[in-house]
Amino acid sequence: MFRNLFKARGPISLGRNTWGRPPTRIIVRPTTGYQRFQSNREPFYNRKQFWIGAGIFGGLSGTYYVTHLETVPISGRRRFMDISPSQEEKLSKMSYQEIIQEYGHQILPPNHRYSRWVSDVAQRIIRVSGMDDLKWEVHVIDSPERNAFVLPGGKVFVFTGILPIVQSKDGMAAVLGHEVAHQVARHSAEKMSYMKILFLFQLFLDVALGMPFALNRLFLELGVVLPFSRKCEVEADMIGLQLMAQACYDPYEAVRMWERMSQAEKGAPPQYLSTHPNNESRISKINEWMPQALQTRANSDCDTDMMGLAEKFKKHWVSW
């Protein structure tokens, strides 16, 4: 049946159509590449609406930034801050509980000789800091780590591993002056505020410039985050030196303490990979600030204060 059908139609010809006219010729031109979708829409950054929105956002952000600038005590540095002390303290409560849980069995009791020794120094530093209205807590952790840190709200932690490095109350004052200085400058809150700006900057690199995520993160870490952290540490060194001098401790002991720390921490990573400046840089900076620290100590009338304390002790001892 199918054979007869093809026979009845005759041979299939591509030369002419059924009307006797030549067929339409189809010309296929070679292309440079395959494109599934083509769009004539211009990039978003060439649109007027984009720049209007960006201008409004930039203006509002700039106004918000300027209205939240403040001056760091003692150092006089201007910085962006949009977190209140109460917010900062609330955010630190979780960290405080985690540390207590982690080191709870290693925290020495308040009547331990190490605890009393550290607390005596801390009280003098806190008294001159102007922040003695906070609920300060000084904890000594029995651990070989050569470290100390402070949490917002006046929670200070000192590891016993740093005691052989400080060696004296003057050396301990250099460490505690640095830690109390972080609280005075509210560096924790500043870092949280700074992260908001950093997030917008990261978004700009990602969207506007199309920078790969890994390269974006590496650039921000080495070029922004770590330098900012080191800047805060240097500022804490400067403020801490002033605090220990005002509390009538020997500022020169800060240099000696960091020299001992440098000997104990041989093989430290390069400074550009660290959140802290290296010990040599710290010593150099402290020596630069030393004349001002000595002047601060002289203005504190420490000799008279010490004589007054000696006289009070003598009278108390004789009467007792």
Side-chain angles (χ1 to χ4, degrees), residues 229-296:
S229 178
R230 291 194 294 268
K231 180 177 70 174
C232 291
E233 293 298 326
V234 171
E235 186 173 58
D237 283 343
M238 189 274 286
I239 296 175
L241 188 67
Q242 290 293 315
L243 292 177
M244 70 175 294
Q246 192 172 351
C248 298
Y249 289 106
D250 181 11
Y252 282 114
E253 191 59 31
V255 175
R256 302 185 190 105
M257 188 276 295
W258 284 115
E259 287 175 346
R260 293 190 291 269
M261 185 70 78
S262 181
Q263 294 176 358
E265 292 182 342
K266 292 181 179 179
Q271 179 171 277
Y272 67 89
L273 294 177
S274 176
T275 57
H276 291 58
N278 59 41
N279 297 323
E280 289 73 20
S281 297
R282 296 183 115 152
I283 293 171
S284 176
K285 284 291 186 181
I286 291 173
N287 282 323
E288 289 180 20
W289 303 323
M290 190 59 66
Q292 186 179 359
L294 294 174
Q295 187 62 49
T296 298

Side-chain angles (χ1 to χ4, degrees), residues 29 52 62 66 78-79 91 108 110 114 135 138 160 170 193 199 202 219 221 223 239 241-242 247 259 278 282:
R29 299 184 183 278
I52 292 175
V66 171
R78 296 285 286 173
R79 51 96 179 276
L91 292 171
L108 300 177
Y114 288 163
K135 296 179 181 178
V138 181
T160 55
D170 292 289
S193 301
F199 172 77
Q202 186 175 13
F219 169 75
E221 188 72 17
I239 296 175
L241 188 67
Q242 290 293 315
E259 287 175 346
N278 59 41
R282 296 183 115 152

